[in-house]
Amino acid sequence: MKHLVIITICFLSLCFTKVCAQISVDSVKTTFKNYSKDNPKATTNNIKAYWHALPISIKKDSSIAAHRDYAIGMNFYYQRNPDSSYYYFNRAGKNLIFKEDPFLVNEALILKAMIKNIYGESEVVQKTLDSASANFNTVDSVPYTLRVNLNRAYGAFYTTNNEQEKAIDHLIKALELTETGEPNPRAEASIKQNLGELFLNLNDIPKARSYFLLVQEEALANDIPRYYHSATLKLADLIESKDEISEKTVNDLNEAMAFFKDLGDKGRIVEAHNYLGQIYKLTGNNDIAMSNFKQGLILSEEMQFPSGIINLAKNLGLMNLSLNRLEEAEQNFETARKFVYSHGNVESQIEIEQALAETLEKQGKLSQAYPFLKAAIKKTDSLNKAKTTATVQELETAYQTKEKEQQIALLTSENELAEQQKRNQRNILWAVLSIVGIVGVFLFFYYRNRQRVHQKLKELDAAKSSFFANISHEFRTPLTLVKGPISEQLEKDQLTPTERKKMQIAHKNVGRVQNLVEEMLALSKLESGHYQLHVAEGYISTFMKAQAQAFEFLAEEKKIHWEVNIPETKNQYWFDRDAVEKITTNLFSNAIKYTPANEKVRIIGSHTNHTYTLDIINTGVKLSAKDRKNIFERFYQNHPDNPGSGIGLALSRELSQLHKGTLELIHSENEENHFRLTLGVAKELFTTAELATKRTEIEHANVVIAHQPSDTENLLQPSTKEDVPQLLLIDDNKDVLNYITLLFQDSYNVRTANNGEEGYKSALEHIPDLIISDVMMPFLDGYELTKKLKEEELTAHIPLILVTAKTEDEDKLTGSKLGADAYVTKPFNSTLLQATVQNLLENRKRLQNRYSKTIILSPKEISVSTAEEKFLERMQKALDKNIQEPTFTPETFSKEIGVSRMQLHRKLKALTGLTTTEFIMNQRVKLAASLLKKRSISVSEVAYEVGFNNPSYFSKCFKDVYGISPSNVKKSSETL
């Protein structure tokens, strides 16, 4: 028994010793793994010092030595020392046994492949990565981090080989894998950085910028300065013009350089020098730019960093070439050329060869320049062929890519459904447990009683809101029945002046009641919580200025000095156009209503990052203390004789609060009333439901423009879009013209004119598809312009919209009699104006279809003006006279009618949707169809009779128009 106890004790001691040894080995491995991370303390000296301090018994373990080599290799990898890192990774792989540590073995393989990828050894890289991938099948489970790194390595490999789409697929897969495991901000930031670089290579600047900004945002949130500064370098690479450079840009780059110098990352230092050189070059600081390029080149040559040598030597050469330092430029390009053939892509080779050829040519070394120029041309041709082939392959794989996306979406939805079911089960379990307790039962009944009371209050509130809404709706029908007869009476000429004045008073008050009804409806929506903001990004200063300018006419009529000081904003802000329009219309109309003649109204705009402020200050009669206290109360009126209902300011304040802002009356010592409107305009202030969708943005006509010009003049230059309707905008007020241009420039080809005379000339020259004109203008007002355009044959067909502050029915009637197609009053609803333009253009399209379906142009069968009828008759006569002549061309056609070829082209395009050549060909084909139906003659005879020289070409044109060959016309039962 005694011997048995001794043996047991010895056995337990031996086990304890092995366990302690294993614990010690595991802790050492963990330490080396920590050293292998992107850690400033993980220097080679620190790792070696830690190794020397270990006991000899642990050093004998080959796996420990492998972990040491792996950590040192990672240290050199982060310092951009590929040769040293590859050496240590290779040593680590030899000392490791795959079954004992498959993770480290494969990690070493992947990193070796990435290093070889730097030197462009494609076959070695492919083989190494495939080997790592094959290892995954020999173990039960593979850590997600290893799969992430493998996909990242494949992404780098395909990027080097210009297979960008495959690279993107692997990197996106890597990004998705990071979401399946523990949060790894470093890996996510690195992958997004790689994606940004890929999209930069594909010249997709917006996507590239969005990924680099995401990297910066996540790096700041997770305290990863390396990735923040790396993204700063990449964002600098996107700068293309001097206007994009700010003091912050230079400061950020200098901070990045200082960071990478402290870290000892020479590769990033080279990049910083390169980008600083480019920025100083753009700003004209050539000496500083040259200094940065030279420092970067020297460092690249010390590192033997091929891509850095190529880029910096090329940039130095280009600078010396621009400064006519030809010998230095030649040396720089020769330096770049030594490396570009082995480490640069074809585009870089072409660029350097062309630059070197230009440098040699300027030195008179033509015989030396010729081979480089010839090589560049040959490579350019080969590159273009390769791109064409790649495009064909992309089209072939498009369908397969779409199917993959659908499968991914299906799997994602299935996973979400499974997660939702799990959550539902947990919620049910907790609900059952809570009901079991006495306290839970008591709280349940208490809560239920509270809910009943709350529900009753909601029902009462809803009933009140419903009552106001129903009453408001009921008012609309009788108001329409009252307004209609009054409008009819005002159109009669037999009314006496007194009768007409009474009718006008009645008509004006009907309008006031209608406005009151709309305000009551808006209030009922606000009370019931049904009023929904639809905010979208736009230039709020431009919008505010246009709203203010619309009231200038009313201010002039009342002899009020109307002063608008709203500076333009460079940035876009988020706001609801409809809600802001309601608020400003109330405030501006009140300012005019309660300001006496010869007094002043000032409107001042300002903004911060999160708010926009509008101050409306009017002089004259100052509000009393009682009025100031109650001014925002509903239905409040300071005197029974004052016009208005007392709803407007209450509605405006509630709308401003809904818009995350305020409306208040500011105390002033002077004899003036000062209203201040503050609106929240930052995106983060609004909920997802309040952010407008694309459809909502269009419906509410919020001004969402991708780029705002630096001044009004640049914005009003003609657009260069083709195959879209042309609009001509005419207004002598530049701000209003600017605003209307913003509304239409994304969907139409917009031209502008500053007065009626200029607009008339532009209409004759360009024959636009639609004209929007102000009425009150110098040289030629809107009414005279309408009359002249409608009497002119070339422009009689053009739809014309008059936009003006004149709101009387007589003014509208004058415009209609002169031929205006629509009349929109200021302040106008931009949605209504856009819809009016679209409807008028649709009507013109229907007219085009009618014209294009007939051989004989019969204007009397279609509603057109007298001038347009004359033009069509002259055009028909020219066709009848010349259509059988093969020499009848667009030039002949335009001379016969007496207009220029461009005018005829625009006129025919507007009437039929066809160019002049297409129109002549269509008319010939339609005449041929008629002849084939009526007469028994051959196809060739018909072709020659209608002006075709080639029967085969005639048959092709005929089939393009009717879908059948001319020889089958007799057999076909279809109506042509």
Side-chain angles (χ1 to χ4, degrees):
M1 185 68 180
K2 184 177 181 182
H3 292 293
L4 181 61
V5 170
I6 293 171
I7 292 170
T8 303
I9 292 171
C10 291
F11 176 75
L12 291 174
S13 300
L14 180 62
C15 291
F16 179 76
T17 303
K18 287 188 175 181
V19 168
C20 291
Q22 184 62 39
I23 292 172
S24 178
V25 167
D26 289 342
S27 65
V28 170
K29 288 182 179 180
T30 301
T31 301
F32 279 125
K33 284 180 180 178
N34 289 333
Y35 273 128
S36 68
K37 295 178 181 177
D38 184 7
N39 184 350
K41 295 181 180 179
T43 62
T44 304
N45 291 335
N46 289 345
I47 296 170
K48 290 182 177 179
Y50 178 72
W51 166 260
H52 289 308
L54 291 173
I56 296 175
S57 58
I58 292 178
K59 288 182 182 179
K60 290 180 179 179
D61 190 330
S62 61
S63 66
I64 295 292
H67 278 75
R68 175 205 63 192
D69 291 337
Y70 177 78
I72 295 173
M74 286 300 298
N75 177 254
F76 282 119
Y77 181 78
Y78 288 127
Q79 293 181 16
R80 302 293 183 87
N81 189 332
D83 292 332
S84 298
S85 59
Y86 186 83
Y87 169 77
Y88 279 101
F89 287 146
N90 202 38
R91 265 188 23 171
K94 290 179 180 178
N95 287 325
L96 284 172
I97 300 173
F98 178 76
K99 290 184 179 179
E100 290 184 1
D101 200 336
F103 173 80
L104 206 61
V105 171
N106 281 308
E107 189 69 26
L109 278 174
I110 292 167
L111 288 165
K112 282 165 65 179
M114 293 179 75
I115 292 167
K116 287 295 182 182
N117 192 55
I118 295 173
Y119 294 102
E121 300 180 20
S122 299
E123 292 183 5
V124 177
V125 175
Q126 180 83 59
K127 185 178 178 181
T128 306
L129 290 178
D130 290 345
S131 175
S133 181
N135 287 340
F136 289 173
N137 299 322
T138 63
V139 293
D140 295 333
S141 63
V142 179
Y144 82 95
T145 52
L146 191 57
R147 293 191 183 276
V148 168
N149 290 339
L150 180 64
N151 278 285
R152 289 172 62 187
Y154 269 118
F157 168 69
Y158 285 122
T159 300
T160 303
N161 287 276
N162 287 324
E163 297 183 61
Q164 312 292 359
E165 297 299 332
K166 288 184 180 179
I168 290 172
D169 288 343
H170 278 285
L171 288 176
I172 288 176
K173 186 176 180 181
L175 196 60
E176 290 171 352
L177 285 168
T178 60
E179 298 173 359
T180 63
E182 292 296 323
N184 191 343
R186 290 177 182 274
E188 291 183 28
S190 176
I191 295 167
K192 288 174 183 175
Q193 180 97 344
N194 295 147
L195 281 167
E197 292 168 357
L198 269 173
F199 284 114
L200 179 60
N201 293 339
L202 291 170
N203 207 28
D204 191 341
I205 303 302
K207 278 191 179 179
R209 181 176 283 109
S210 67
Y211 273 110
F212 294 143
L213 290 173
L214 274 175
V215 172
Q216 283 194 326
E217 182 182 332
E218 293 180 8
L220 277 177
N222 295 284
D223 191 23
I224 319 174
R226 172 190 287 274
Y227 290 105
Y228 179 85
H229 293 301
S230 296
T232 297
L233 298 180
K234 294 303 176 184
L235 286 169
D237 195 19
L238 302 180
I239 295 174
E240 296 180 346
S241 67
K242 181 180 178 180
D243 296 335
E244 300 177 54
I245 300 170
S246 64
E247 185 177 348
K248 183 179 182 302
T249 307
V250 179
N251 291 340
D252 286 350
L253 280 173
N254 283 320
E255 287 178 9
M257 183 181 288
F259 173 81
F260 288 119
K261 281 182 178 178
D262 292 342
L263 203 61
D265 190 337
K266 296 180 180 179
R268 297 296 187 193
I269 298 170
V270 168
E271 286 185 51
H273 277 305
N274 187 28
Y275 295 135
L276 278 169
Q278 292 178 15
I279 285 174
Y280 283 119
K281 180 181 176 183
L282 284 172
T283 55
N285 295 316
N286 291 335
D287 291 339
I288 304 178
M290 189 78 76
S291 173
N292 275 283
F293 287 145
K294 286 180 179 178
Q295 290 179 59
L297 181 58
I298 291 169
L299 189 57
S300 297
E301 290 174 337
E302 289 176 2
M303 297 170 58
Q304 283 297 298
F305 184 29
S307 61
I309 295 172
I310 293 168
N311 289 328
L312 287 154
K314 178 190 71 177
N315 289 335
L316 266 175
L318 291 172
M319 277 207 73
N320 282 321
L321 180 59
S322 67
L323 297 171
N324 211 30
R325 300 173 183 172
L326 301 179
E327 291 183 1
E328 294 179 27
E330 182 182 353
Q331 292 175 4
N332 298 141
F333 292 136
E334 283 291 350
T335 301
R337 197 169 67 85
K338 290 177 184 177
F339 291 87
V340 77
Y341 294 125
S342 57
H343 296 90
N345 55 30
V346 179
E347 288 90 343
S348 298
Q349 294 174 20
I350 293 169
E351 189 176 2
I352 290 169
E353 286 171 346
Q354 287 176 337
L356 186 54
E358 183 182 350
T359 305
L360 292 168
E361 181 191 0
K362 287 187 176 181
Q363 294 180 81
K365 301 177 182 179
L366 299 180
S367 59
Q368 297 178 36
Y370 176 73
F372 293 115
L373 183 60
K374 183 179 177 182
I377 292 171
K378 184 177 179 181
K379 288 175 183 176
T380 302
D381 292 341
S382 300
L383 186 63
N384 290 336
K385 288 179 182 178
K387 287 181 179 178
T388 303
T389 304
T391 302
V392 173
Q393 291 175 348
E394 288 176 6
L395 291 172
E396 289 175 352
T397 57
Y399 177 74
Q400 297 176 357
T401 303
K402 187 175 181 181
E403 281 190 333
K404 288 180 182 178
E405 290 174 353
Q406 290 174 347
Q407 290 174 359
I408 292 170
L410 180 61
L411 289 172
T412 303
S413 63
E414 289 176 353
N415 291 336
E416 290 177 353
L417 182 61
E419 286 297 321
Q420 185 63 43
Q421 288 175 344
K422 289 180 182 178
R423 285 196 295 270
N424 290 342
Q425 291 171 356
R426 286 197 297 269
N427 291 339
I428 292 170
L429 178 62
W430 282 110
V432 171
L433 291 174
S434 63
I435 293 172
V436 172
I438 297 174
V439 176
V441 173
F442 172 77
L443 290 174
F444 169 75
F445 282 108
Y446 175 75
Y447 174 75
R448 189 173 66 176
N449 290 333
R450 288 284 302 270
Q451 284 292 100
R452 285 175 180 172
V453 173
H454 182 66
Q455 185 63 31
K456 286 291 182 184
L457 290 173
K458 282 180 68 176
E459 289 173 1
L460 288 172
D461 192 55
K464 181 183 70 172
S465 298
S466 177
F467 169 75
F468 276 109
N470 291 337
I471 287 295
S472 300
H473 281 293
E474 289 299 325
F475 269 119
R476 284 180 167 178
T477 300
L479 282 173
T480 303
L481 296 175
V482 172
K483 189 174 183 180
I486 293 174
S487 300
E488 291 176 6
Q489 290 297 318
L490 284 170
E491 290 175 4
K492 294 181 179 179
D493 297 330
Q494 295 87 349
L495 291 177
T496 65
T498 302
E499 290 172 337
R500 181 172 297 280
K501 188 172 183 180
K502 289 178 179 179
M503 285 293 179
Q504 288 173 342
I505 292 171
H507 188 271
K508 182 177 181 181
N509 280 278
V510 168
R512 287 181 60 193
V513 175
Q514 281 183 319
N515 290 336
L516 177 59
V517 168
E518 294 301 324
E519 289 178 346
M520 289 177 67
L521 275 173
L523 277 174
S524 68
K525 284 184 179 180
L526 282 166
E527 284 190 336
S528 61
H530 292 154
Y531 197 103
Q532 179 69 55
L533 285 181
H534 297 284
V535 299
E537 200 171 14
Y539 293 106
I540 191 170
S541 61
T542 305
F543 178 79
M544 289 292 193
K545 188 178 289 187
Q547 293 296 312
Q549 294 289 355
F551 285 84
E552 279 187 352
F553 179 75
L554 295 175
E556 288 176 8
E557 281 189 335
K558 200 174 175 183
K559 297 182 180 178
I560 296 172
H561 180 62
W562 188 258
E563 182 183 312
V564 179
N565 182 14
I566 301 178
E568 293 287 347
T569 57
K570 294 182 180 179
N571 299 324
Q572 298 184 70
Y573 297 94
W574 292 81
F575 66 101
D576 183 321
R577 191 211 64 80
D578 188 56
V580 176
E581 184 177 353
K582 282 185 171 67
I583 298 170
T584 54
T585 300
N586 253 311
L587 293 173
F588 295 159
S589 59
N590 278 350
I592 291 177
K593 189 187 301 181
Y594 297 107
T595 301
N598 301 318
E599 293 292 343
K600 180 190 292 185
V601 175
R602 287 182 293 144
I603 299 169
I604 304 168
S606 59
H607 64 89
T608 64
N609 288 336
H610 297 284
T611 60
Y612 188 89
T613 303
L614 192 72
D615 292 285
I616 301 96
I617 307 165
N618 68 304
T619 59
V621 180
K622 188 175 181 180
L623 291 170
S624 65
K626 179 183 176 183
D627 292 338
R628 296 168 64 83
K629 181 181 178 181
N630 302 310
I631 194 72
F632 294 110
E633 296 294 327
R634 292 184 188 177
F635 310 112
Y636 175 75
Q637 289 179 301
N638 58 359
H639 195 280
D641 294 335
N642 277 350
S645 60
I647 293 178
L649 284 175
L651 174 63
S652 297
R653 171 175 261 190
E654 293 193 31
L655 284 174
S656 67
Q657 291 169 349
L658 189 65
H659 211 293
K660 325 305 179 196
T662 58
L663 176 61
E664 54 188 337
L665 183 59
I666 305 298
H667 179 70
S668 175
E669 298 295 336
N670 303 324
E671 289 298 316
E672 61 184 22
N673 300 308
H674 183 176
F675 286 87
R676 173 168 291 166
L677 170 65
T678 304
L679 298 172
V681 291
K683 183 178 181 180
E684 57 267 22
L685 297 176
F686 302 100
T687 64
T688 305
E690 290 173 331
L691 295 175
T693 60
K694 290 290 181 185
R695 181 177 177 184
T696 307
E697 290 176 30
I698 294 169
E699 290 173 350
H700 288 265
N702 283 313
V703 186
V704 184
I705 307 299
H707 172 70
Q708 184 186 35
S710 58
D711 53 51
T712 302
E713 295 298 327
N714 289 339
L715 181 62
L716 301 181
Q717 293 300 317
S719 174
T720 59
K721 293 173 280 192
E722 297 178 356
D723 297 327
V724 294
Q726 286 195 21
L727 301 189
L728 174 59
L729 311 180
I730 310 170
D731 201 307
D732 60 328
N733 188 307
K734 291 259 179 93
D735 292 319
V736 175
L737 197 60
N738 183 3
Y739 176 59
I740 300 176
T741 302
L742 287 172
L743 289 178
F744 291 104
Q745 70 174 11
D746 284 346
S747 303
Y748 300 93
N749 192 347
V750 179
R751 294 184 180 276
T752 59
N754 295 315
N755 56 65
E757 187 65 40
E758 185 182 326
Y760 177 69
K761 292 177 182 177
S762 180
L764 287 178
E765 180 182 355
H766 301 290
I767 318 293
D769 295 294
L770 185 138
I771 298 172
I772 302 175
S773 174
D774 190 18
V775 171
M776 299 177 66
M777 295 183 294
F779 304 116
L780 194 69
D781 67 27
Y783 295 140
E784 293 171 342
L785 175 66
T786 302
K787 186 173 182 296
K788 289 187 70 173
L789 289 173
K790 292 301 180 180
E791 289 175 352
E792 173 63 49
E793 291 181 357
L794 289 173
T795 58
H797 70 282
I798 302 173
L800 190 144
I801 301 173
L802 291 177
V803 181
T804 182
K806 291 187 171 185
T807 59
E808 298 299 328
D809 287 346
E810 289 182 7
D811 300 315
K812 298 178 184 179
L813 187 59
T814 301
S816 297
K817 286 180 178 179
L818 289 170
D821 296 87
Y823 195 98
V824 179
T825 58
K826 298 178 183 177
F828 58 82
N829 183 306
S830 56
T831 307
L832 175 62
L833 181 59
Q834 289 174 319
T836 303
V837 169
Q838 186 175 351
N839 289 337
L840 288 174
L841 290 175
E842 287 294 331
N843 289 338
R844 294 304 305 179
K845 283 184 181 178
R846 285 192 282 271
L847 194 59
Q848 287 175 3
N849 293 334
R850 181 75 178 274
Y851 277 130
S852 62
K853 290 177 181 177
T854 179
I855 306 171
I856 306 300
L857 300 174
S858 302
K860 292 180 180 177
E861 296 178 5
I862 305 171
S863 177
V864 296
S865 66
T866 304
E868 193 169 357
E869 183 177 339
K870 291 178 182 178
F871 181 81
L872 291 173
E873 287 173 353
R874 287 199 291 123
M875 194 164 64
Q876 185 63 58
K877 287 178 182 179
L879 283 171
D880 294 341
K881 178 182 175 184
N882 298 287
I883 197 166
Q884 294 179 319
E885 297 296 331
T887 57
F888 186 47
T889 62
E891 289 82 2
T892 312
F893 198 2
S894 60
K895 287 177 182 178
E896 284 283 338
I897 299 174
V899 295
S900 71
R901 179 175 175 180
M902 179 52 68
Q903 288 174 326
L904 178 60
H905 169 79
R906 290 293 303 153
K907 182 76 174 180
L908 281 174
K909 195 76 174 173
L911 289 175
T912 66
L914 303 172
T915 65
T916 310
T917 303
E918 291 169 343
F919 178 76
I920 293 172
M921 188 273 287
N922 265 29
Q923 292 299 307
R924 282 174 167 160
V925 169
K926 290 172 185 176
L927 179 58
S930 176
L931 293 175
L932 287 168
K933 281 286 188 182
K934 294 177 183 178
R935 292 159 54 181
S936 298
I937 55 178
S938 67
V939 172
S940 297
E941 288 176 316
V942 171
Y944 290 124
E945 190 166 340
V946 297
F948 282 91
N949 285 327
N950 189 329
S952 298
Y953 179 64
F954 163 70
S955 297
K956 179 184 179 301
C957 294
F958 193 95
K959 191 169 184 179
D960 288 344
V961 174
Y962 290 113
I964 61 173
S965 65
S967 59
N968 292 332
V969 169
K970 290 289 185 181
K971 303 174 187 178
S972 175
S973 59
E974 297 178 9
T975 302
L976 298 180

